[in-house]
């Protein structure tokens, strides 16, 4: 039985009622030492050879220089070491764990252990047994396991029970103890709130923002540029559990507070960081993924107006992307177009955006008086009607407009102000290829969409959208014209999707009906767009952008799983929704929806971007 005494908590301060040990019964000081020492030995093991042959990707045969998956284990070990040292309340490391260190150490140790053991098992399976391991492989398996055991033995913080009213009945006392037991268990796994720390000067917070954006660029560039499947799986394990560890430590919440105080600088810096991405690539191989991610993310941000702000469940939103793409392709000089005209890009953009806007009004006007599931069914039907109609406008089943299933092909590259987007260009000694050119163009359009979303969300109409989303009946009672407000949201969202569709048409060269399904293995489609908004964080700017990037990148990188690709992806989504239901970058309202009254102060302390 675990004894209850006064022992240091995760910050080093005495906490009455805290246990002397965690899950394994090891005393807290010994567990802390085991976690710290094990992580240091894990770091040392990454400088040894893990296998004798370079047949395993990454060449893990070198002594003194980590490579491939060893680098990921090294990063995980370093993170675990820092958090473990911070648990000793060492001066200078306190800011690393504003919400406490023990829970964060557990997750960091788990990230290191999972990455190390995945590598060891992959070597054994691919090369034919553990006999192919060198001493470094055995050592990292042992030390990462010891680190995890030490971390699991760290004590949980248990809050003191509220005093029981002596006048309470026996049943009330029982329910009080039951409620306290529930909150005690929940507190063991809940994210902590940053403890008060001395506020930094503005220049220091701006430097922190620069560091966060630089780290984000490095992580994204590394993830998108993983050259083999095993490395990407290891990256996913470390990134996912590492993010959870930083969140437990309170660093994510603290970073959100800092970026919220400097929103304009954060947005400007984020676009600068994104603009640097093509310069990190030596060819168009990964710039291709970059431009498709931007298209997907921009459309998801437009859908966020409809779903995140106005609360309208739209299951056919990808059709507006298709309308914009078809409209632009018909007037951009394609030989498959029956109009045989070639508009300049600015005119094609206007045509695509206006076409989607008109369709948004035409579809929204008769249907937006519906609510909830009925509206979702109607929008789902619109998405299918658009695809089937585009398939039938082939000159046989209907007028010759879209060339049927063959689509509009051979769409020429853009030529804006004499700049040929189909040709490579040299900028400051860097060669910028075709997809990098479209990446910069799409980044500019993304900036426009972000500006529209931000300005509209903070406007009077934006507040009306939120009121409709929260309680439409109450909003109508306060004099808001619900139908007009929802129609504006539908039209604006459709227009932004059409804007992205004009670029997609030129990037893909061909526009076909099969690109605009409700669901499929590869985005963009309506299901993935909705998932990007919900998982990223409804009602925020950064949420859908990050959600869309993850939902586009991960399926593309997991294609080696074959038939198990969607299964693994689905499991990842289930885990994310279980442990982060409010989204990766939630706003305050969404956080409060997923927290009870006891957790409300913690949720209010976190600010979404």
């Amino acid at each position: 039985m675990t004894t209850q005494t006064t022992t240091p908590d995760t910050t080093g301060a005495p906490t009455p009622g805290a246990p002397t040990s965690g899950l394994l019964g090891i005393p807290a000081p010994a567990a802390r030492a085991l976690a710290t020492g094990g992580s240091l030995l894990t770091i040392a093991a990454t400088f040894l050879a893990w296998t004798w042959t370079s047949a395993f990707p990454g060449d893990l045969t070198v002594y003194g220089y980590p490579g491939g998956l060893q680098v990921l284990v090294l990063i995980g070990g370093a993170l675990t070491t820092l958090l473990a040292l911070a648990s000793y309340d060492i001066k200078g490391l306190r800011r690393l764990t504003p919400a406490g260190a023990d829970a964060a150490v557990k997750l960091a140790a788990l990230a290191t252990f999972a990455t190390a053991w995945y590598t060891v098992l992959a070597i054994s399976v691919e090369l034919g047994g553990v006999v192919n391991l060198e001493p470094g492989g055995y050592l990292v398996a042992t030390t990462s396991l010891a680190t995890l055991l030490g971390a699991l033995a760290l004590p949980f913080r248990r809050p003191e029970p509220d005093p029981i009213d002596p006048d309470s009945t026996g049943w009330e006392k029982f329910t009080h103890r039951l409620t306290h037991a529930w909150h005690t268990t929940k507190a063991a796994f809940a994210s902590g709130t940053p403890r008060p720390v001395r506020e930094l000067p503005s220049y220091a917070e701006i430097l922190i923002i620069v560091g966060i954006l630089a780290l984000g660029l490095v992580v994204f560039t590394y993830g998108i540029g993983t050259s083999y499947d095993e490395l990407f799986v290891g990256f996913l394990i470390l990134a996912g559990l590492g993010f959870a560890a930083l969140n437990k430590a309170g660093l994510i919440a603290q970073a959100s507070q800092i970026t919220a105080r400097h929103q304009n600088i954060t947005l400007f810096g984020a676009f600068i960081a994104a603009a640097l991405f093509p310069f990190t690539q030596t060819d168009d191989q990964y710039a291709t993924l970059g431009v498709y991610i931007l298209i997907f993310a921009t459309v998801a941000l437009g859908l966020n107006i409809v779903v995140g702000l106005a609360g309208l469940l739209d299951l056919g939103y990808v059709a507006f992307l298709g309308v914009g793409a078809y409209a632009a392709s018909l007037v951009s000089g394609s030989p498959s177009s029956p109009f045989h005209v070639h508009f300049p890009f600015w005119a094609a953009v206007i045509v695509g955006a206006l076409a989607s806007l008109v369709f948004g009004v035409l579809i929204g006007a008769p249907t937006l008086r519906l609510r909830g599931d009925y509206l979702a069914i109607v929008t789902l039907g619109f998405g299918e009607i658009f695809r089937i109609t585009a398939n039938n406008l082939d000159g046989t089943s209907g007028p010759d407009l879209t060339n049927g299933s063959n689509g509009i092909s051979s769409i020429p590259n853009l030529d804006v102000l004499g700049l040929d987007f189909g040709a490579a260009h040299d900028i400051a000694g860097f060669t910028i290829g075709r997809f990098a050119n479209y990446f910069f163009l799409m980044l500019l359009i993304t900036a426009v969409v972000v500006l529209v979303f931000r300005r509209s969300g903070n406007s009077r109409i934006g507040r009306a959208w939120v009121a409709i989303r929260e309680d439409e009946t109450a909003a109508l009672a306060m004099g808001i014209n619900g139908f007009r407000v929802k129609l504006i949201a539908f039209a604006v969202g459709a227009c932004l999707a059409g804007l992205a569709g004009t670029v997609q048409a030129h990037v893909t060269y061909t526009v076909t009906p099969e690109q605009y399904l409700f669901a499929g293995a590869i985005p963009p489609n309506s299901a993935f767009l909705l998932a990007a908004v919900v998982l990223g964080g409804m009602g925020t700017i950064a949420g859908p952008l990050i959600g869309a990037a993850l939902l586009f990148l991960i399926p593309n990188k997991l294609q080696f799983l074959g038939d198990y690709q969607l299964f693994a992806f689905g499991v990842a989504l289930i885990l994310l929704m279980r442990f982060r239901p409010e989204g990766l970058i939630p706003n305050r309202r969404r956080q409060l929806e997923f927290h009870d009254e006891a957790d409300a102060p913690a949720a209010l302390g976190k600010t979404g971007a």
Side-chain angles (χ1 to χ4, degrees):
M1 180 176 180
T2 302
T3 59
Q4 300 290 324
T5 60
T6 300
T7 58
D9 70 352
T10 54
T11 65
T15 302
T20 58
S21 62
L23 296 178
L24 304 179
I26 303 175
R32 213 176 302 277
L34 179 60
T36 306
S39 60
L40 289 172
L41 290 176
T42 300
I43 293 174
T46 61
F47 291 88
L48 303 176
W50 289 7
T51 182
W52 63 275
T53 173
S54 59
F56 187 81
D59 192 7
L60 308 184
T61 65
V62 181
Y63 282 87
Y65 186 80
L69 286 160
Q70 289 175 324
V71 175
L72 298 179
V73 177
L74 172 63
I75 295 172
L79 177 61
T80 307
T81 302
L82 286 175
L83 294 175
L85 291 175
S87 69
Y88 287 99
D89 202 27
I90 297 176
K91 187 176 180 180
L93 295 178
R94 297 173 185 173
R95 289 185 179 274
L96 289 178
T97 56
D102 285 356
V105 172
K106 290 177 173 64
L107 284 169
L110 179 60
T112 308
F113 168 80
T115 308
W117 277 70
Y118 165 75
T119 306
V120 169
L121 292 176
I123 292 173
S124 302
V125 171
E126 293 189 19
L127 299 183
V130 295
V131 69
N132 294 284
L133 293 175
E134 286 287 293
Y138 293 106
L139 178 62
V140 76
T142 304
T143 57
S144 61
L145 177 60
T147 304
L148 179 61
L149 293 177
L152 292 177
L154 292 175
F156 292 116
R157 288 182 295 172
R158 292 184 172 90
E160 283 295 293
D162 297 328
I164 299 177
D165 187 353
D167 297 329
S168 299
T169 64
W171 172 253
E172 289 174 340
K173 292 179 180 179
F174 171 75
T175 56
H176 176 88
R177 293 191 180 95
L178 189 63
T179 303
H180 172 68
W182 160 249
H183 286 297
T184 298
T185 304
K186 187 177 181 181
F189 297 96
S191 299
T193 309
R195 66 175 182 242
V197 293
R198 184 170 58 86
E199 188 171 342
L200 296 173
S202 295
Y203 73 88
E205 292 188 339
I206 293 174
L207 289 177
I208 291 175
I209 292 173
V210 172
I212 292 172
L213 295 175
L215 178 63
L217 177 61
V218 170
V219 171
F220 177 77
T221 303
Y222 186 89
I224 202 173
T226 48
S227 54
Y228 51 93
D229 303 332
E230 294 85 353
L231 185 61
F232 182 73
V233 173
F235 168 77
L236 279 185
I237 295 172
L238 180 65
L241 293 174
F243 177 85
L246 296 178
N247 183 54
K248 287 286 188 181
L251 290 175
I252 302 299
Q254 197 170 72
S256 298
Q257 293 172 5
I258 293 174
T259 55
R261 288 195 289 267
H262 306 277
Q263 287 188 0
N264 292 330
I265 294 176
T266 302
L267 282 175
F268 179 76
F271 280 103
I272 294 298
L276 293 176
F277 169 71
F279 295 100
T280 65
Q281 308 301 310
T282 56
D283 53 39
D284 261 3
Q285 180 181 2
Y286 298 118
T288 306
L289 287 178
V291 68
Y292 282 121
I293 286 174
L294 274 184
I295 293 173
F296 186 27
T298 303
V299 180
L301 191 58
L303 178 61
N304 198 24
I305 292 180
V306 181
V307 177
L309 294 183
L312 305 174
L313 185 56
D314 189 348
L315 298 182
Y317 187 76
V318 74
F320 297 122
L321 175 68
V323 170
Y326 266 103
S329 64
L330 289 173
V331 298
S332 294
S334 169
S336 303
S337 171
F339 298 128
H340 303 293
V341 295
H342 192 174
F343 287 6
F345 176 65
W346 64 266
V349 166
I350 294 176
V351 170
L354 286 180
S356 295
L357 175 65
V358 170
F359 269 85
V361 173
L362 291 178
I363 298 302
T367 61
L368 286 178
R369 299 188 188 277
L370 301 173
R371 296 188 188 183
D373 298 338
Y374 300 101
L375 177 62
I377 293 172
V378 170
T379 55
L380 175 61
F382 164 65
E384 290 301 298
I385 289 172
F386 165 76
R387 182 179 61 83
I388 294 172
T389 302
N391 226 351
N392 289 336
L393 297 180
D394 57 356
T396 302
S397 302
D400 186 9
L401 183 63
T402 65
N403 204 22
S405 59
N406 294 323
I408 307 298
S409 60
S410 302
I411 301 172
N413 283 302
L414 292 175
D415 191 336
V416 180
L417 300 177
L419 179 67
D420 184 5
F421 278 61
H425 303 278
D426 291 329
I427 301 179
F430 294 91
T431 300
I432 304 300
R434 176 181 182 270
F435 284 101
N437 295 330
Y438 282 106
F439 180 89
F440 288 121
L441 176 62
M442 199 61 226
L443 189 62
L444 179 62
I445 292 179
T446 303
V448 172
V449 174
V450 168
L451 179 63
V452 171
F453 181 90
R454 190 178 181 190
R455 298 290 293 179
S456 60
N458 294 330
S459 66
R460 182 178 180 181
I461 190 67
R463 293 192 294 271
W465 286 338
V466 174
I468 290 291
R469 183 194 70 191
E470 296 298 321
D471 193 328
E472 184 171 353
T473 302
L476 296 177
M478 296 302 295
I480 295 178
N481 188 333
F483 174 75
R484 182 176 68 87
V485 167
K486 291 191 290 185
L487 185 60
I488 292 175
F490 217 70
V492 172
C495 182
L496 296 180
L499 190 64
T502 60
V503 179
Q504 186 206 26
H506 292 86
V507 171
T508 58
Y509 286 125
T510 301
V511 180
T512 60
E514 287 70 24
Q515 294 175 343
Y516 309 104
L517 300 170
F518 167 72
I522 299 296
N525 53 64
S526 293
F528 272 75
L529 288 171
L530 184 60
V533 173
V534 175
L535 296 177
M538 294 173 59
T540 64
I541 294 176
L545 298 179
I546 294 176
L550 292 176
L551 290 179
F552 191 93
L553 177 62
I554 293 176
N556 274 276
K557 287 289 189 175
L558 291 182
Q559 290 184 8
F560 68 93
L561 293 177
D563 295 337
Y564 295 98
Q565 173 190 354
L566 288 179
F567 172 76
F569 189 58
V571 170
L573 294 184
I574 291 173
L575 292 176
L576 182 59
M577 291 304 295
R578 169 59 184 85
F579 295 104
R580 193 78 174 177
E582 66 268 33
L584 293 174
I585 312 291
N587 62 12
R588 294 186 178 185
R589 288 189 181 90
R590 290 285 292 172
Q591 283 187 315
L592 289 175
E593 289 176 6
F594 289 96
H595 293 81
D596 55 25
E597 294 180 359
D599 297 321
L604 285 173
K606 303 174 186 178
T607 304

